[in-house]
Amino acid sequence: MAKLFNYYPTTFYTSNTKATGLDTVTNIVARFGFEKKLKENSSAFYKYSVKDSDTPEIIASKFYDNSERHWIVLLFNDIIDPQYDWPLNNNTLISFIDNKYTANGTANTTPVSGIQWAKSTNNTKNYYKIITRTSSDSTIITEKFQVDANTYANVAASTTSYTLNSGAIVTEKISKEKQTHYDYEVEENEAKREINLLKKEFVPEVEKEFRRVIRGD
């Protein structure tokens, strides 16, 4: 991280508590971003699923031969805050959930830990109506709709069959599902694992453009 800021311009700064003189500091508010058309060009990147042991630095070292290129991994995926936007490993996630819901657990009729409160099916985060259609050729299509508590209460489980004009028979099953706060947090964390990695051949040109933009050359 330290070498990255060597490219940033400097600016003058003074504190209200400082009587005289100016300090020269790195202008960390300077910004660089990837063009939308590059990030949407599937031939310019490949998919990667972040492992528990991965950090932006480890990935940069593995795929770009230099851990200092971690900023490419982050910015290409619009990750501004690695602490909150990067997937947490299992132990850290459990700790995060426990801390986040500690107040809820304490306020429970019978006080429990934050993680216990989050896992309880009595504390619902989201409600879903699920429609699963299975055709006679074994094709399965599942649709999941988020609904409010009242709609959820009125969803009746059912299974019906009908015949299409083509002669295919479709069986439609309606069900419903609650999501706990714990499952919500796990799902959100897992979604962060799927990132795009800029292909290595584009890195030299990106670094060149980065220095140009940041330095104002």
Side-chain angles (χ1 to χ4, degrees):
M1 178 68 79
K3 292 182 180 179
L4 172 64
F5 290 111
N6 290 340
Y7 298 115
Y8 279 63
T10 57
T11 187
F12 294 112
Y13 172 80
T14 183
S15 170
N16 291 334
T17 61
K18 191 171 183 177
T20 60
L22 294 173
D23 288 324
T24 300
V25 298
T26 300
N27 180 17
I28 61 173
V29 299
R31 289 290 180 265
F32 172 84
F34 288 92
E35 290 187 4
K36 183 179 179 181
K37 63 181 181 181
L38 177 62
K39 293 197 293 183
E40 293 179 347
N41 183 357
S42 59
S43 64
F45 63 85
Y46 47 86
K47 301 286 185 179
Y48 181 78
S49 183
V50 178
K51 302 175 181 62
D52 260 5
S53 58
D54 283 334
T55 65
E57 289 80 6
I58 288 174
I59 292 176
S61 178
K62 186 187 302 182
F63 293 96
Y64 301 141
D65 303 321
N66 188 338
S67 62
E68 289 293 334
R69 288 171 170 162
H70 58 84
W71 62 271
I72 297 177
V73 177
L74 296 174
L75 292 187
F76 196 73
N77 290 280
D78 298 319
I79 297 175
I80 305 301
D81 188 343
Q83 183 175 357
Y84 295 103
D85 297 335
W86 191 260
L88 303 175
N89 63 46
N90 186 64
N91 290 337
T92 304
L93 177 62
I94 294 299
S95 179
F96 167 79
I97 296 173
D98 189 46
N99 290 332
K100 181 175 181 178
Y101 296 102
T102 290
N104 301 73
T106 302
N108 208 53
T109 304
T110 301
V112 294
S113 67
I115 194 71
Q116 288 176 309
W117 187 92
K119 284 185 173 182
S120 174
T121 54
N122 294 324
N123 305 314
T124 301
K125 170 65 177 176
N126 292 312
Y127 300 88
Y128 295 99
K129 175 182 178 180
I130 304 169
I131 301 176
T132 303
R133 297 183 181 91
T134 305
S135 62
S136 50
D137 65 357
S138 298
T139 299
I140 300 175
I141 299 176
T142 300
E143 295 179 289
K144 191 173 183 178
F145 304 94
Q146 186 173 340
V147 298
D148 58 34
N150 289 332
T151 301
Y152 176 87
N154 292 313
V155 173
S158 65
T159 301
T160 57
S161 296
Y162 53 88
T163 304
L164 301 178
N165 292 334
S166 63
I169 298 174
V170 175
T171 300
E172 182 177 277
K173 179 181 179 181
I174 295 179
S175 59
K176 58 184 180 179
E177 178 182 293
K178 289 182 180 181
Q179 183 182 49
T180 65
H181 289 262
Y182 174 82
D183 288 336
Y184 167 78
E185 297 293 348
V186 170
E187 186 176 289
E188 288 290 293
N189 191 65
E190 288 304 302
K192 296 175 184 177
R193 293 191 184 280
E194 304 309 313
I195 64 173
N196 296 329
L197 291 179
L198 181 70
K199 290 185 177 179
K200 190 175 180 180
E201 56 262 35
F202 293 95
V203 169
E205 187 61 31
V206 165
E207 287 186 313
K208 180 180 177 181
E209 181 66 8
F210 171 78
R211 289 192 290 268
R212 184 191 68 79
V213 170
I214 293 299
R215 290 174 175 173
D217 294 343

